[in-house]
C-alpha cells in the first residue's frame, strides 16, 4: 500500500466508532498524527478580512464553528487569547501558528487562513503575519500535555512553512481549493524529507 492509499484508509476510518478510550487514543497518536494532518476545505480561508490579532483569531474560529467541528466559540476564543497572552504564536517570516484546546469532537484539527495584506500579530521579526495555521485539539483525548503529538504537529507545520516557496504558494493561491490541493500534495512530502 502506498502513502496515498494509507492516507485514504485513515481518512475512511470512523474514529468515533472506537469506544475504548485507550484504543482510540493510541490509534490517533500512532496513525493519524504520525501519517497525516487532515486539512479540509471548510477550514481554509483565503482572504482574511481582519486587521487585528484578536479579530483574526475570532474570524478563524468562525471556520470551526461554521463547520460544526467546534461548538463552544467563546471558550475557544478565550483559550486562544490566553495562549497569545503567554507569548505571540507569530514565529516570523509572515507565519503564525495559534493553538489552543477546544471542545472539538474531531480530536485534532488545523485551519488555514491567508491575509495578503498581513496582520500585526506581535511577530518575533516585527513583520506582518500573512499565513495562519490554527491548531486545536480535544483535551479529553490528548490531555494538557506539554510534549507529544501536538508539539510534534506544531513542529512539522513550522518546518513546512519555513520554506519560502511554500509560503509564496500559499500567499499567491487563487482559491481555497488550490490551497487544499497544495497542502495535500506537499505537506506529506515535506514531512517525509524531515
Amino acid at each position: 500500500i502506498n502513502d496515498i492509499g494509507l492516507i485514504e484508509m485513515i481518512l475512511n476510518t470512523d474514529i468515533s466508532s472506537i469506544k475504548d478510550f485507550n484504543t482510540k487514543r493510541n490509534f490517533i497518536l500512532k496513525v493519524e498524527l504520525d501519517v497525516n494532518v487532515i486539512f479540509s476545505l471548510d477550514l481554509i480561508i483565503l482572504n482574511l478580512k481582519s486587521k487585528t490579532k484578536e479579530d483574526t483569531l475570532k474570524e478563524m474560529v468562525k471556520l470551526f464553528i461554521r463547520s460544526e467541528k467546534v461548538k463552544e466559540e467563546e471558550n475557544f476564543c478565550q483559550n486562544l487569547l490566553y495562549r497569545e497572552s503567554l507569548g505571540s504564536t507569530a514565529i516570523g517570516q509572515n507565519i503564525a501558528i495559534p493553538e489552543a484546546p477546544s471542545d472539538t469532537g474531531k480530536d485534532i484539527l488545523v485551519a488555514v487562513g491567508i491575509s495578503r495584506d498581513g496582520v500585526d500579530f506581535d511577530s518575533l521579526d516585527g513583520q506582518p503575519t500573512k499565513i495562519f495555521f490554527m491548531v486545536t485539539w480535544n483535551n479529553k483525548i490528548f490531555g494538557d500535555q506539554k510534549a507529544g503529538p501536538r508539539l510534534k504537529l506544531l513542529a512539522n507545520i513550522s518546518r513546512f512553512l519555513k520554506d519560502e516557496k511554500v509560503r509564496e504558494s500559499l500567499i499567491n493561491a487563487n482559491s481555497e481549493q488550490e490551497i487544499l490541493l497544495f497542502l495535500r500534495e506537499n505537506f506529506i512530502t515535506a514531512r517525509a524529507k524531515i
Side-chain angles (χ1 to χ4, degrees):
I1 188 167
N2 62 25
D3 286 346
I4 300 300
L6 183 58
I7 291 165
E8 288 173 350
M9 181 181 75
I10 291 166
L11 293 176
N12 289 326
T13 301
D14 181 8
I15 296 171
S16 65
S17 68
I18 302 172
K19 301 300 179 200
D20 176 68
F21 175 83
N22 288 329
T23 303
K24 182 176 183 176
R25 186 169 191 265
N26 288 337
F27 174 83
I28 294 164
L29 298 181
K30 289 181 181 172
V31 179
E32 185 175 317
L33 292 180
D34 287 341
V35 177
N36 187 30
V37 175
I38 300 172
F39 295 102
S40 62
L41 193 57
D42 57 353
L43 292 178
I44 297 174
I45 183 168
L46 180 60
N47 295 306
L48 286 166
K49 294 175 179 45
S50 301
K51 301 297 181 199
T52 67
K53 178 188 273 196
E54 186 171 344
D55 287 346
T56 301
L57 292 172
K58 289 178 180 180
E59 186 175 353
M60 289 196 65
V61 164
K62 293 282 188 199
L63 293 173
F64 292 101
I65 300 302
R66 278 194 296 268
S67 69
E68 299 182 355
K69 293 177 178 167
V70 170
K71 304 272 187 259
E72 296 175 17
E73 181 175 1
E74 186 61 31
N75 187 47
F76 186 26
C77 283
Q78 289 305 314
N79 288 343
L80 286 162
L81 290 169
Y82 173 74
R83 169 58 189 89
E84 290 296 325
S85 75
L86 300 176
S88 180
T89 57
I91 60 174
Q93 297 181 311
N94 306 118
I95 305 164
I97 310 173
E99 45 108 8
S102 69
D103 67 329
T104 180
K106 298 292 184 182
D107 311 313
I108 194 162
L109 296 169
V110 179
V112 178
I114 304 298
S115 171
R116 290 200 171 107
D117 294 333
V119 176
D120 181 357
F121 220 75
D122 301 319
S123 179
L124 295 174
D125 63 5
Q127 296 299 310
T129 301
K130 297 181 178 186
I131 302 169
F132 299 86
F133 274 56
M134 182 179 281
V135 179
T136 190
W137 63 93
N138 186 318
N139 262 347
K140 292 178 184 170
I141 294 169
F142 287 103
D144 193 21
Q145 54 191 339
K146 299 283 183 213
R150 178 170 51 88
L151 293 181
K152 182 177 178 181
L153 170 63
L154 294 172
N156 284 332
I157 291 170
S158 177
R159 281 189 211 113
F160 175 67
L161 293 174
K162 290 293 181 182
D163 183 328
E164 186 177 356
K165 290 179 183 175
V166 166
R167 295 191 310 274
E168 287 174 4
S169 294
L170 292 170
I171 291 169
N172 295 321
N174 294 311
S175 69
E176 284 86 359
Q177 292 85 352
E178 185 177 326
I179 291 173
L180 180 61
L181 182 60
F182 178 81
L183 291 170
R184 288 192 172 161
E185 288 177 353
N186 294 283
F187 189 73
I188 296 166
T189 304
R191 289 186 60 199
K193 293 177 185 173
I194 295 168

